[in-house]
């Protein structure tokens, strides 16, 4: 067998290994409504970003034109993939920031004696001044977050961390 045959056998074995690695994920992909096109886009992006990383490690140019030529796609497709990834990363960072801020708010509500009982149970808060109730807005300010009232309430209610009672 010549060296080309060995390389083809190794390439085939690698592709089979990739297929076997992805096979267990297919059930989850179907459950989440992931389409064939979604999978193609994920693999395309992964290939482009891995190619860019390899070029950068080797000290070679990794501009969209070069990556497109190496991958057999247009420069426009490479730019679109990069922009989409950046947008997704920004969204992920916003979500993580919101989670952090909600955690700070909940921590303050449970640990601050001004907003909780001596046993750590959160006090009932009011959305507007009434009687001796502390205000929800005071909790937001005390937690030092950038959350606005509507966002904080929406997240807390959606995740069943709080209940809203009339009166």
């Amino acid at each position: 067998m010549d060296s080309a045959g060995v390389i083809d056998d190794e390439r085939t074995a690698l592709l089979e290994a990739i297929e076997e690695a992805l096979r267990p994920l297919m059930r989850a992909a179907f459950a989440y409504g992931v389409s064939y096109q979604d999978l193609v886009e994920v693999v395309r992006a992964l290939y482009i970003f891995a190619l860019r990383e390899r070029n950068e490690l080797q000290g070679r140019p990794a501009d969209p034109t070069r990556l497109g030529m190496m991958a057999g796609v247009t420069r426009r497709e490479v730019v679109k993939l990069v922009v989409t990834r950046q947008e997704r990363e920004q969204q992920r960072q916003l979500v993580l920031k919101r989670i952090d801020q909600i955690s700070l708010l909940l921590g303050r509500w449970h640990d601050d004696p001004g907003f909780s009982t001596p046993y750590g149970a959160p006090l009932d808060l009011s959305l507007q001044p009434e009687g001796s109730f502390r205000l929800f807005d005071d909790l937001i300010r005390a937690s030092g977050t950038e959350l606005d009232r509507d966002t904080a309430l929406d997240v807390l209610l959606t995740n069943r961390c709080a209940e809203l009672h009339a009166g």
Side-chain angles (χ1 to χ4, degrees):
M1 180 181 284
D2 62 356
S3 63
V6 170
I7 292 173
D8 284 345
D9 290 346
E10 290 173 353
R11 182 178 179 278
T12 299
L14 174 63
L15 289 171
E16 288 172 358
I18 291 169
E19 180 182 342
E20 287 304 311
L22 293 175
R23 186 181 310 280
L25 296 174
M26 290 300 101
R27 181 179 288 156
F30 297 145
Y32 286 100
V34 175
S35 70
Y36 170 79
Q37 194 58 41
D38 294 335
L39 289 172
V40 168
E41 289 300 314
V42 166
V43 172
R44 180 180 302 188
L46 176 63
Y47 188 87
I48 294 294
F49 292 116
L51 189 59
R52 181 175 72 180
E53 205 172 90
R54 187 180 83 175
N55 277 10
E56 288 171 350
L57 287 172
Q58 295 174 347
R60 294 182 176 167
D63 59 274
T65 302
R66 182 179 179 91
L67 293 174
M69 286 178 16
M70 292 176 75
V73 298
T74 66
R75 177 188 184 286
R76 180 181 293 158
E77 288 177 89
V78 173
V79 170
K80 180 182 172 195
L81 289 170
V82 170
V83 168
T84 300
R85 186 180 214 191
Q86 288 170 340
E87 289 170 351
R88 212 171 51 233
E89 183 58 29
Q90 287 173 342
Q91 276 302 116
R92 188 178 1 257
Q93 292 303 321
L94 286 173
V95 167
L96 291 174
K97 183 177 181 180
R98 181 176 288 167
I99 290 169
D100 286 346
Q101 294 198 349
I102 290 294
S103 296
L104 289 170
L105 182 96
L106 287 169
R108 177 64 63 139
W109 199 356
H110 284 81
D111 296 337
D112 186 323
F115 298 100
S116 64
T117 68
Y119 302 102
L123 293 175
D124 288 339
L125 303 175
S126 181
L127 296 176
Q128 47 217 339
E130 64 175 293
S132 63
F133 285 102
R134 296 290 312 260
L135 292 174
F136 184 68
D137 291 336
D138 293 339
L139 173 63
I140 292 173
R141 276 191 294 281
S143 68
T145 67
E146 299 171 9
L147 293 169
D148 61 85
R149 177 202 275 196
D150 292 337
T151 301
L153 275 174
D154 183 50
V155 172
L156 292 173
L157 293 171
T158 299
N159 291 289
R160 298 182 181 179
C161 296
E163 295 176 346
L164 194 58
H165 298 276

